[in-house]
Amino acid sequence: MKSLTSFARFVVFGGGTGVLSSLAVPLLAALMPWTLSNALITIASTVLCTELHARYTFRTGRRAGLRRHWQSAGSAAAAYAATSVAVFALHAIQPTPGMLTEQLVYLSASGLAGIARFVILRLFVFATGTDRETTKTANTATNTATKTAAKTADTNEPIKATTFTRPRRTPAPAAGLTAALSPS
């Protein structure tokens, strides 16, 4: 269930940013060449998506950081390459495809690349299973459990925590120890 909600957020944030980007490219292209406009918007949208995915999609609780930005950019470049190869292959097979066919191939490749990108981001870029994070989570859960008062099923009364103090070990006097160990 957690993966499905993460995937839904991934689609919403990624798709929403994609729609905004598609509107921004032609506006910026009025001021500069289209390829430069597309490159700038792609970089900006990738940075924005990485932050959104870190904070909301995969809920890491912190900013993405430079390493995650580079990894995310790599997965975005791979997705871009996959869609480009799919459209190129279509044109190699059918030199003049119709717009509907071209869009179908592009969107299919984009959808598959998006699913692959989600898996890469979830399992590698924003994975939370590292020892440090697992330990941190376990310590937080332990601290929360000890701070939270449990309620009994019958009375709904809090169970009182009992603490045991460990007796302090003091060394036995040498004469007493020797006397205790020596045969009588």
Side-chain angles (χ1 to χ4, degrees), residues 64-173:
L66 189 58
R67 180 185 61 83
R68 286 184 170 154
H69 275 287
W70 278 110
Q71 290 173 330
S72 182
S75 70
Y80 175 78
T83 56
S84 297
V85 166
V87 172
F88 178 74
L90 171 66
H91 283 275
I93 294 169
Q94 187 176 1
T96 56
M99 183 184 288
L100 183 62
T101 303
E102 192 172 56
Q103 282 291 34
L104 183 65
V105 168
Y106 173 77
L107 291 175
S108 298
S110 183
L112 290 174
I115 291 169
R117 188 162 185 255
F118 172 79
V119 170
I120 289 168
L121 292 177
R122 177 131 170 80
L123 295 179
F124 300 107
V125 178
F126 297 109
T128 58
T130 63
D131 290 336
R132 193 176 113 242
E133 291 177 358
T134 303
T135 303
K136 182 180 175 183
T137 303
N139 288 343
T140 303
T142 302
N143 290 340
T144 303
T146 57
K147 290 178 184 175
T148 304
K151 303 228 182 224
T152 62
D154 297 335
T155 62
N156 258 353
E157 293 295 321
I159 297 173
K160 297 194 180 195
T162 306
T163 57
F164 296 99
T165 56
R166 186 174 178 175
R168 182 179 270 183
R169 292 188 176 188
T170 56

Side-chain angles (χ1 to χ4, degrees), residues 18-60:
V19 169
L20 292 175
S21 296
S22 70
L23 297 172
V25 169
L27 293 174
L28 193 59
L31 304 173
M32 61 185 64
W34 188 89
T35 53
L36 181 59
S37 169
N38 188 30
L40 291 174
I41 295 298
T42 299
I43 290 168
S45 68
T46 302
V47 169
L48 175 64
C49 273
T50 302
E51 285 298 326
L52 290 171
H53 292 326
R55 293 180 186 194
Y56 304 109
T57 301
F58 301 109
R59 298 187 182 219
T60 61

